[in-house]
Amino acid sequence: MFSCFRLALRRPPTATRSLSTALTDSLAPAAASVPPTAVSRPSATTPIHDLKGTSSSSSVVASPIIQPVYLSMSSLIPAEEDATELDEVVELDPFVFDHPIRRDVLHLCVVQYLDSLRQGSANTKTRGQVRGSGRKIRPQKGTGKARLGDGQSPMLRGGGRAFGPKPRDFSTKLPRKVIQMGMRVALSARLQEHGLGVVRSLEWPGFKTKDFAERLEELGWKRTLFVTGHDQVPDGLRRVTSNLYKVESKSAQDLSVYDAVKWPRLILDLPAVEWFERTLAKSASSAN
Amino acid sequence: MSLARAATSRVRLFNLTPAANSQHAQKRLGRGQGSGRGGTSGRGHNGQKSRSGNGKPKAGFEGGQTPIIKLFPKRGFVNPNAKVYAAVNLDRIQHWIDQGRLSCSPENPITAKELFLSGCIHDVHDGIKLLGDGGSALKAPIHITPSRASKSAIRAVEKLGGSVFCKYYNPLALRDCVKGNTERTQAAPTKRNDILWYTSWKNRGYLSPEALSKMPVVEDRWKELSKQFLMYKEQGIEQQK
């Protein structure tokens, strides 16, 4: 479970902030100088004395210290100028957002996704399907040329195609847990490359695409995918991003590993973070 | 792109590679000399194996020589009613009891279920037969209800005060016994030989009158069955000699 809390960072209030500092401030994972306050967080391993094991399988487990990942939050709607400079920070599950990078797993997931997109409609006619009679087109012997049967043989011009493509399904199967790991790796890669942002909400109050485009200029978000944790993207955002080619919005359940790798910047809202942490968490029954 | 450079660069769609040696290139026959599998496509020249379609004679064919399957005459028949019993000896049962893997009492005798689940028997087949090898290894009384039992096994068990009662299990009843289903009524024997076998005390059959009086758990149904099965003795049917 993540938690989000405000930290007084003791920043001197400045009237103007340059774009670059705003960029780095909004997207850089918070430095180690930010002390984690007392946030109760259920750890992935329960304490040994709570386990009631009777068989010989219960042994002392040396569990690694789990360090959560912190990320400064951004905001779609610009904050008022005179508001106190308090940055919100979100605590992310390291199993989901700080996973070791496995490019081969990403490769598998992306190839499987692209396979599933194939239409597979290439078709050819075999010698049995080409229109024509079965008459032997020249005598077996006496002509001095090769022996031939009907006119639809693949040897001949106008004949059928031997072993040609037929409509088929190119989709492949991948274990569910490999796809889940792929999503974790993709999200972690985005976070590592400062390409992941979290906002409180993805609601956009305006109607004009131009205003939204200006706000994105301000934030410096060029090619971005907005991911919401709700079933549908909020109407305002959908309206305003639909005509911008470099920006798209999706809901978290429709996000594929391909999308997470393709888009250089992902902006999640808090329900989306919660959704990913819930669906990609380490299952209780796993050996680890 | 080398792995080292890819590791430091950003993850993008164009710099993903599969794990080394995880994907093998497809063998494509008949695509030119450079591939190493052009021309005759790895089939050599002429001969039966180079032909399209199966290219092989039928299984068991030995080139015209009388095949081994035809050399020897057929013999006998296979009895569809034959039963294969899973044999278990007395020394094995005693060993299991010593290890604590089996336990019994007159009310809860050892059945196919206990023997199977404890690993004494690896498969129940058509039932359990108790055999008498290692009868001297027995130390304490045993109470067991197999499908069959040998005479020496019965003697050895009863010498120590145990009990052996042979119960008829058809395949469904045996399955219910092993799975622990008690809802179905377990069928009575229908074949003449089975009826004669299970109604005789010599075999410790569960439908014999002596067994019905000695068994701790007896169904009313069995008493009725025993009565009906043994009615022929009073009906004056002549024994064919």
Side-chain angles (χ1 to χ4, degrees), chain A residues 10 15 47 68 76 82 102 125 134-135 138 140 160 169 180 191 220 234 243 253 260 267 286:
Chain A
R10 310 217 187 292
L76 262 188
D82 50 346
R102 285 281 303 267
K125 286 186 166 43
R135 182 180 55 84
R138 66 166 168 258
Q140 179 83 353
D169 182 18
Q180 287 172 352
L191 182 64
N243 208 21
Q253 52 231 52
I267 303 297
S286 74

Side-chain angles (χ1 to χ4, degrees), chain B residues 47-101:
Chain B
Q48 192 173 20
K49 287 172 75 173
S50 71
R51 304 302 168 189
S52 76
N54 193 6
K56 288 195 291 248
K58 67 172 187 237
F61 187 67
E62 293 179 16
Q65 168 180 286
T66 315
I68 195 169
I69 317 160
K70 287 256 179 205
L71 266 184
F72 308 105
K74 295 199 286 185
R75 190 179 167 103
F77 77 109
V78 172
N79 187 358
N81 302 319
K83 299 269 180 295
V84 172
Y85 292 104
V88 61
N89 283 303
L90 292 170
D91 53 1
R92 193 172 168 86
I93 293 184
Q94 185 56 51
H95 187 50
W96 251 247
I97 292 175
D98 289 340
Q99 287 180 318
R101 291 162 84 171

